[in-house]
Amino acid sequence: MIAQHIDSIRQRIAKSALQAGRRPEDIRLVAVSKTVAAERIRQAFHAGLRVFGENYIQEARDKAQALSDLPIEWHFIGHLQSNKAKYAVRQFSLIHSVDSLRLAAEIDREARKAGKIQPILIQVNVAGEATKSGIDPEALIDLVRSVSALSHVRVAGLMTMPPFSEDPEASRPHFRRLKALADHCAASVPGIDLRELSMGMSGDFEVAVSEGATLVRIGTAIFGERS
Ligand SMILES: *Cc1c(COP(=O)(O)O)cnc(C)c1O
């Protein structure tokens, strides 16, 4: 089952990439495994997935321990509290959800202690929704400038989560906006490289790929509905 889902998702990513004149191998599939038991993650690994995205630190630590025999690449995609930065730095090769200088500075401090340069993405609240995490687009350049001055974090790109809609096309303007913001930011902040765009979930990843996503975060379409 899982293997078939993964196969079909990969094909859909490839089709959307090729239609947009992109190379399918430039898009990485992040399997969102929040609430999914370790043994199902193991199955998904054996079906070919390598990158898994988790939202909660404690849950992720438990699963990483249960799956420590597998070379899984863990990404953190949830809201991160500063006091959990230490654990995030230990486990995750990419943190998608940094949206304040305070959090970035805490990650920097923990990464320095761990002797690591921590790759991060800046989460942008593209639609300005009151209930969503993410920095305001207007404040993005200042944040990227400040964060890029930290020595033990490396800003690798931007992430967004558009407003929920049944219609995948409703996400398109938000994905396009994120790409435009990344281009604008890269042109304005010397030495910055924002090549990673984390956008697109089960309902709208094909649209995200056609708008330039390099990381798609997919849960339900791989593992089924979360309970
Ligand atoms: C849960 C989650 C996803 C995956 O959502 P699906 O609709 O199940 O694919 C992607 N990104 C973030 C930040 C999430 O919290």
Side-chain angles (χ1 to χ4, degrees), residues 32 34 55 77-78 159 161 200-203 217-221 226:
V32 174
K34 61 176 174 238
N55 292 59
I77 64 170
M159 180 274 224
M161 218 172 149
M201 318 200 314
S202 292
R217 310 179 309 268
I218 300 181
T220 313
R226 287 179 289 273

Side-chain angles (χ1 to χ4, degrees), residues 15 24-25 31 38 51 80 101 105 131 141 147 152 161 207 217:
K15 185 166 175 219
E25 59 270 32
V51 186
L80 183 60
L101 181 56
T131 56
I141 288 194
V147 174
H152 287 70
M161 218 172 149
V207 174
R217 310 179 309 268

